[in-house]
PDB file of all heavy atoms in Angstrom:
ATOM      1  N   ASP A  30       6.519   3.680  -0.218  1.00 98.00           N
ATOM      2  CA  ASP A  30       5.631   3.435   0.920  1.00 98.00           C
ATOM      3  C   ASP A  30       4.682   4.589   1.193  1.00 98.00           C
ATOM      4  O   ASP A  30       3.620   4.440   1.770  1.00 98.00           O
ATOM      5  CB  ASP A  30       6.405   3.081   2.188  1.00 98.00           C
ATOM      6  CG  ASP A  30       7.294   4.236   2.679  1.00 98.00           C
ATOM      7  OD1 ASP A  30       7.603   5.165   1.911  1.00 98.00           O
ATOM      8  OD2 ASP A  30       7.658   4.198   3.882  1.00 98.00           O
ATOM      9  N   ARG A  31       5.053   5.789   0.693  1.00 98.00           N
ATOM     10  CA  ARG A  31       4.173   6.952   0.789  1.00 98.00           C
ATOM     11  C   ARG A  31       4.574   7.929  -0.316  1.00 98.00           C
ATOM     12  O   ARG A  31       5.688   7.896  -0.830  1.00 98.00           O
ATOM     13  CB  ARG A  31       4.245   7.633   2.147  1.00 98.00           C
ATOM     14  CG  ARG A  31       5.626   8.157   2.509  1.00 98.00           C
ATOM     15  CD  ARG A  31       5.573   8.808   3.880  1.00 98.00           C
ATOM     16  NE  ARG A  31       6.829   9.410   4.259  1.00 98.00           N
ATOM     17  CZ  ARG A  31       6.954  10.283   5.254  1.00 98.00           C
ATOM     18  NH1 ARG A  31       5.893  10.645   5.937  1.00 98.00           N
ATOM     19  NH2 ARG A  31       8.132  10.789   5.582  1.00 98.00           N
ATOM     20  N   THR A  32       3.629   8.801  -0.694  1.00 98.00           N
ATOM     21  CA  THR A  32       3.919   9.710  -1.801  1.00 98.00           C
ATOM     22  C   THR A  32       3.100  10.955  -1.796  1.00 98.00           C
ATOM     23  O   THR A  32       2.005  10.995  -1.191  1.00 98.00           O
ATOM     24  CB  THR A  32       3.714   8.968  -3.159  1.00 98.00           C
ATOM     25  OG1 THR A  32       4.246   9.752  -4.222  1.00 98.00           O
ATOM     26  CG2 THR A  32       2.235   8.701  -3.428  1.00 98.00           C
ATOM     27  N   VAL A  33       3.614  12.001  -2.455  1.00 98.00           N
ATOM     28  CA  VAL A  33       2.850  13.231  -2.710  1.00 98.00           C
ATOM     29  C   VAL A  33       2.349  13.251  -4.140  1.00 98.00           C
ATOM     30  O   VAL A  33       1.660  14.200  -4.547  1.00 98.00           O
ATOM     31  CB  VAL A  33       3.733  14.483  -2.441  1.00 98.00           C
ATOM     32  CG1 VAL A  33       4.017  14.629  -0.962  1.00 98.00           C
ATOM     33  CG2 VAL A  33       5.028  14.453  -3.239  1.00 98.00           C
ATOM     34  N   PHE A  34       2.673  12.241  -4.937  1.00 98.00           N
ATOM     35  CA  PHE A  34       2.293  12.175  -6.366  1.00 98.00           C
ATOM     36  C   PHE A  34       0.849  11.650  -6.473  1.00 98.00           C
ATOM     37  O   PHE A  34       0.542  10.526  -6.055  1.00 98.00           O
ATOM     38  CB  PHE A  34       3.199  11.234  -7.143  1.00 98.00           C
ATOM     39  CG  PHE A  34       4.528  11.832  -7.496  1.00 98.00           C
ATOM     40  CD1 PHE A  34       5.515  12.006  -6.532  1.00 98.00           C
ATOM     41  CD2 PHE A  34       4.811  12.204  -8.805  1.00 98.00           C
ATOM     42  CE1 PHE A  34       6.764  12.570  -6.870  1.00 98.00           C
ATOM     43  CE2 PHE A  34       6.046  12.746  -9.165  1.00 98.00           C
ATOM     44  CZ  PHE A  34       7.022  12.941  -8.176  1.00 98.00           C
ATOM     45  N   TYR A  35      -0.011  12.496  -7.076  1.00 98.00           N
ATOM     46  CA  TYR A  35      -1.398  12.068  -7.333  1.00 98.00           C
ATOM     47  C   TYR A  35      -1.367  11.090  -8.490  1.00 98.00           C
ATOM     48  O   TYR A  35      -0.767  11.348  -9.531  1.00 98.00           O
ATOM     49  CB  TYR A  35      -2.256  13.265  -7.681  1.00 98.00           C
ATOM     50  CG  TYR A  35      -3.688  12.888  -8.029  1.00 98.00           C
ATOM     51  CD1 TYR A  35      -4.635  12.626  -7.046  1.00 98.00           C
ATOM     52  CD2 TYR A  35      -4.081  12.753  -9.369  1.00 98.00           C
ATOM     53  CE1 TYR A  35      -5.925  12.262  -7.380  1.00 98.00           C
ATOM     54  CE2 TYR A  35      -5.344  12.423  -9.712  1.00 98.00           C
ATOM     55  CZ  TYR A  35      -6.285  12.175  -8.699  1.00 98.00           C
ATOM     56  OH  TYR A  35      -7.554  11.799  -9.054  1.00 98.00           O
ATOM     57  N   ALA A  36      -2.070   9.935  -8.324  1.00 97.00           N
ATOM     58  CA  ALA A  36      -2.149   8.939  -9.399  1.00 97.00           C
ATOM     59  C   ALA A  36      -3.343   9.253 -10.288  1.00 97.00           C
ATOM     60  O   ALA A  36      -4.459   9.530  -9.807  1.00 97.00           O
ATOM     61  CB  ALA A  36      -2.282   7.551  -8.787  1.00 97.00           C
ATOM     62  N   ARG A  37      -3.109   9.203 -11.581  1.00 96.00           N
ATOM     63  CA  ARG A  37      -4.124   9.526 -12.591  1.00 96.00           C
ATOM     64  C   ARG A  37      -5.455   8.837 -12.284  1.00 96.00           C
ATOM     65  O   ARG A  37      -5.530   7.661 -12.000  1.00 96.00           O
ATOM     66  CB  ARG A  37      -3.634   9.053 -13.966  1.00 96.00           C
ATOM     67  CG  ARG A  37      -4.469   9.505 -15.139  1.00 96.00           C
ATOM     68  CD  ARG A  37      -4.163   8.691 -16.382  1.00 96.00           C
ATOM     69  NE  ARG A  37      -2.729   8.423 -16.563  1.00 96.00           N
ATOM     70  CZ  ARG A  37      -2.300   7.430 -17.343  1.00 96.00           C
ATOM     71  NH1 ARG A  37      -3.143   6.640 -17.955  1.00 96.00           N
ATOM     72  NH2 ARG A  37      -0.988   7.239 -17.490  1.00 96.00           N
ATOM     73  N   GLY A  38      -6.539   9.609 -12.363  1.00 91.00           N
ATOM     74  CA  GLY A  38      -7.847   9.049 -12.099  1.00 91.00           C
ATOM     75  C   GLY A  38      -8.890  10.157 -11.893  1.00 91.00           C
ATOM     76  O   GLY A  38      -8.557  11.279 -11.566  1.00 91.00           O
ATOM     77  N   GLY A  39     -10.156   9.813 -12.143  1.00 87.00           N
ATOM     78  CA  GLY A  39     -11.234  10.780 -11.939  1.00 87.00           C
ATOM     79  C   GLY A  39     -11.172  11.961 -12.877  1.00 87.00           C
ATOM     80  O   GLY A  39     -11.694  13.028 -12.570  1.00 87.00           O
ATOM     81  N   GLY A  40     -10.509  11.801 -14.021  1.00 92.00           N
ATOM     82  CA  GLY A  40     -10.379  12.884 -14.963  1.00 92.00           C
ATOM     83  C   GLY A  40      -9.164  13.759 -14.744  1.00 92.00           C
ATOM     84  O   GLY A  40      -8.840  14.630 -15.579  1.00 92.00           O
ATOM     85  N   GLN A  41      -8.472  13.565 -13.610  1.00 96.00           N
ATOM     86  CA  GLN A  41      -7.291  14.374 -13.324  1.00 96.00           C
ATOM     87  C   GLN A  41      -6.013  13.612 -13.697  1.00 96.00           C
ATOM     88  O   GLN A  41      -5.851  12.454 -13.321  1.00 96.00           O
ATOM     89  CB  GLN A  41      -7.219  14.749 -11.837  1.00 96.00           C
ATOM     90  CG  GLN A  41      -6.005  15.623 -11.468  1.00 96.00           C
ATOM     91  CD  GLN A  41      -6.034  16.103 -10.021  1.00 96.00           C
ATOM     92  OE1 GLN A  41      -7.094  16.317  -9.457  1.00 96.00           O
ATOM     93  NE2 GLN A  41      -4.878  16.268  -9.430  1.00 96.00           N
ATOM     94  N   PRO A  42      -5.077  14.245 -14.442  1.00 98.00           N
ATOM     95  CA  PRO A  42      -3.846  13.547 -14.804  1.00 98.00           C
ATOM     96  C   PRO A  42      -2.970  13.240 -13.587  1.00 98.00           C
ATOM     97  O   PRO A  42      -3.088  13.859 -12.524  1.00 98.00           O
ATOM     98  CB  PRO A  42      -3.122  14.587 -15.689  1.00 98.00           C
ATOM     99  CG  PRO A  42      -4.177  15.558 -16.125  1.00 98.00           C
ATOM    100  CD  PRO A  42      -5.152  15.589 -14.998  1.00 98.00           C
TER     101      PRO A  42
END
Side-chain angles (χ1 to χ4, degrees):
D30 64 340
R31 60 180 184 165
T32 191
V33 292
F34 282 74
Y35 177 81
R37 188 196 320 160
Q41 180 174 328

